[in-house]
Amino acid sequence: MTPDTLPLERREEIDAALAAVAKGARTWTLLTLGQRRTLLRRVRASVAAVAAEWADAAATTKGLHAGHPLRGEEWLSGPYAALVALDAYARSLGALAAGGSPLDAVTFGRAPGDRTVVHTSPLDLTDRILLSGYSTEVWLRPGVTPGQARRTAGLGQLTPTTTGGIGVVLGAGNVSAIPFLDVLYELLAHNRTVVLKVNPTQDELIPVFARALAPLIEPGFLRIVRGGGDVGAYLTRHPSIAHVHITGSEATFRAIVPDLRVPISAELGGVSPIIVVPGEWSAADLRFQAEHVVTMRLHNSGHNCIAGQVVLLSADWPQRDDFLRELRAAYDRSPQREVWYPRSERALDAARADYPDALWCGDGTRALVVTDPEGATPLETTEYFSPVLGVVSLPGGGQAFLDAAVAHANERLVGTLGANVLIAPETQRTLGAGFERAIAELRYGTVAVNAWTAFGFLTPTATWGAFPGGTVEDAPSGIGVVHNALLLDDVERTVVRGPFRPFPRSIRTALRGGGLSVLPKPPWFVTSRTGAVVSEGFTRFRIDRDLARMALVLARAFRA
């Protein structure tokens, strides 16, 4: 269907939604920063009230029955993500309302290429306890100074009486927090009231969203509509809108832009590399990092824009074959689950056609492709959005391998959303400044070192989006950023840093200058036996700050 054939009653429904948020846009400009902060606290209470229903509904739509070990994914990528974002935005509004800056509590650093680094997490004791060993930093564009960053932090909230008009958000269908977070960013970064079109895969979550976001819906700051491409087309071509934001596929983006008369921002995914820098790894290191790689691919059954897809290994690494054996074993033993996203079977069929010699692991729905660079083109240019993991070997070791892998990722892989680098701290110390220079050379919006880039997605004070430079004509992975609860301007990328080894092995690493983690295995690992209960516990602690109950949850984490 086209917008011209949309039934009259649907057009009237959408027109009414647009009229309501147009009125709401005027109301929004009358709220003080303190009132906006109070409003976010009301939304937080609404999210807390529906958190269990939210996680359950999201898990059920994906075929994760009660008791399934991976249901924790829906706690972390749903209500948990919403709660931490609301808290972070509220802190920024509070700082601005008091005449300060959202950056008053942060520290700055330097990165290669005359870049200012904003250390964006951890910023409080809760993050240091729950997420020990993990940090995020935002690198600003070359030449931007800390003083400039402080002056411009706040974006739309620096001019709160200026309306940004009406924004249309075309919600993602794979992760339930994405549309929620995109609505918040439109409202707070740009002073735009929003009509949110929910992806049909999330229709069953609309009642949950309606209750969670009721404090924004009541005064007309938000309306939620359902529908397919015809509704999206009607919205994006409507004369009353000022902006469109989409999280989705490049094909959908390409269908929208020819008739678009307003600016657009977008997050479009891509093919994400996992660069494994050779070093001397123990048997435990090989097993843990293999599970880490498998998590990057199998989380949400592979239906993530940031899923790791291409592992770049050194052909000269003496432990290459050992790592591949652990990778295959981890791919096999991860819990079984449905490949649930629409048209995923087509993607798997394409992988079968592209790589008839692929290993099909687990229940036969997980492809593991080991190939040389000459045979890697389909892997590196097709975002399968399904459980397809490739391994490509490049020559060299040390800095030479890392530089070659960075160049390969930049030049051969489609997209610029996120890249992952796994490196033993001993090797990183040996490389020294050369390692940071290589990180600076990666042209990706989020780079994760000994972590998965999804940690950057989950951290509200980090930024999320493609590497700068995307245009309507050429937008690898999209245009602009979201999340960004410190409301930073002039952003280039986020860098996530995590622990190479879990507890207790992280103690020895920390004594030698590496990162310390108290987590024996992160709850988001697909191989975590207690991931569901720990992820729920983390979310409930964000709600009620019950330290006694959190202590019990952390005890469960040690049995992961």
Side-chain angles (χ1 to χ4, degrees), residues 69-256:
L70 297 180
R71 284 173 70 90
E73 291 180 358
E74 302 310 317
W75 281 93
L76 291 182
S77 61
Y80 179 95
L83 290 164
V84 294
L86 288 163
D87 287 344
Y89 280 122
R91 285 194 297 270
S92 291
L93 287 176
L96 290 166
S101 166
L103 303 188
D104 288 342
V106 309
T107 59
F108 293 90
R110 302 296 297 170
D114 191 27
R115 292 173 171 91
T116 291
V117 172
V118 185
H119 293 284
T120 56
S121 75
L123 295 178
D124 58 31
L125 183 60
T126 298
D127 285 341
R128 288 184 174 90
I129 293 173
L130 297 189
L131 305 170
S132 67
Y134 292 87
S135 66
T136 63
E137 57 199 48
V138 173
W139 293 16
L140 304 180
R141 296 175 191 254
V144 177
T145 67
Q148 288 174 277
R150 278 200 170 91
R151 287 193 297 274
T152 58
L155 298 180
Q157 301 313 298
L158 297 175
T159 55
T161 60
T162 302
T163 179
I166 299 172
V168 168
V169 169
L170 303 180
N174 61 326
V175 174
S176 64
I178 291 177
F180 184 101
L181 298 175
D182 290 348
V183 165
L184 290 184
Y185 197 65
E186 285 290 289
L187 195 60
L188 294 167
H190 304 294
N191 287 323
R192 285 194 282 262
T193 52
V194 178
V195 172
L196 164 65
K197 190 196 81 67
V198 174
N199 188 290
T201 64
Q202 296 197 353
D203 276 354
E204 292 182 41
L205 279 162
I206 288 178
V208 176
F209 290 155
R211 293 199 297 281
L213 291 163
L216 300 182
I217 294 171
E218 292 161 2
F221 305 145
L222 170 68
R223 285 293 184 270
I224 301 173
V225 299
R226 69 177 72 211
D230 52 348
V231 173
Y234 186 80
L235 279 167
T236 57
R237 299 173 190 178
H238 202 280
S240 67
I241 69 167
H243 185 267
V244 172
H245 177 78
I246 176 176
T247 300
S249 69
E250 185 176 3
T252 304
F253 178 81
R254 291 283 158 232
I256 291 171

Side-chain angles (χ1 to χ4, degrees), residues 172-358:
N174 61 326
V175 174
S176 64
I178 291 177
F180 184 101
L181 298 175
D182 290 348
V183 165
L184 290 184
Y185 197 65
E186 285 290 289
L187 195 60
L188 294 167
H190 304 294
N191 287 323
R192 285 194 282 262
T193 52
V194 178
V195 172
L196 164 65
K197 190 196 81 67
V198 174
N199 188 290
T201 64
Q202 296 197 353
D203 276 354
E204 292 182 41
L205 279 162
I206 288 178
V208 176
F209 290 155
R211 293 199 297 281
L213 291 163
L216 300 182
I217 294 171
E218 292 161 2
F221 305 145
L222 170 68
R223 285 293 184 270
I224 301 173
V225 299
R226 69 177 72 211
D230 52 348
V231 173
Y234 186 80
L235 279 167
T236 57
R237 299 173 190 178
H238 202 280
S240 67
I241 69 167
H243 185 267
V244 172
H245 177 78
I246 176 176
T247 300
S249 69
E250 185 176 3
T252 304
F253 178 81
R254 291 283 158 232
I256 291 171
V257 294
D259 298 315
L260 201 61
R261 297 184 297 274
V262 297
I264 186 171
S265 55
E267 194 266 83
L268 305 176
V271 174
S272 294
I274 306 167
I275 299 172
V276 179
V277 183
E280 294 185 15
W281 293 15
S282 69
D285 292 338
L286 291 167
R287 182 183 177 97
F288 179 79
Q289 293 300 344
E291 292 183 1
H292 198 177
V293 170
V294 166
T295 294
M296 296 180 198
R297 178 69 269 182
L298 292 184
H299 182 280
N300 199 25
S301 201
H303 309 314
N304 286 330
C305 56
I306 199 57
Q309 183 164 302
V310 176
V311 182
L312 297 176
L313 287 183
S314 167
D316 303 314
W317 185 25
Q319 294 178 292
R320 174 184 177 275
D321 290 344
D322 295 331
F323 182 73
L324 285 176
R325 279 193 293 271
E326 289 290 355
L327 190 64
R328 167 69 189 270
Y331 217 38
D332 267 328
R333 70 173 176 267
S334 299
Q336 306 299 314
R337 66 176 303 171
E338 294 181 16
V339 179
W340 62 270
Y341 203 75
R343 295 180 292 281
S344 294
E345 288 299 332
R346 287 190 208 168
L348 293 176
D349 287 343
R352 288 187 181 93
D354 292 334
Y355 297 101
D357 297 329

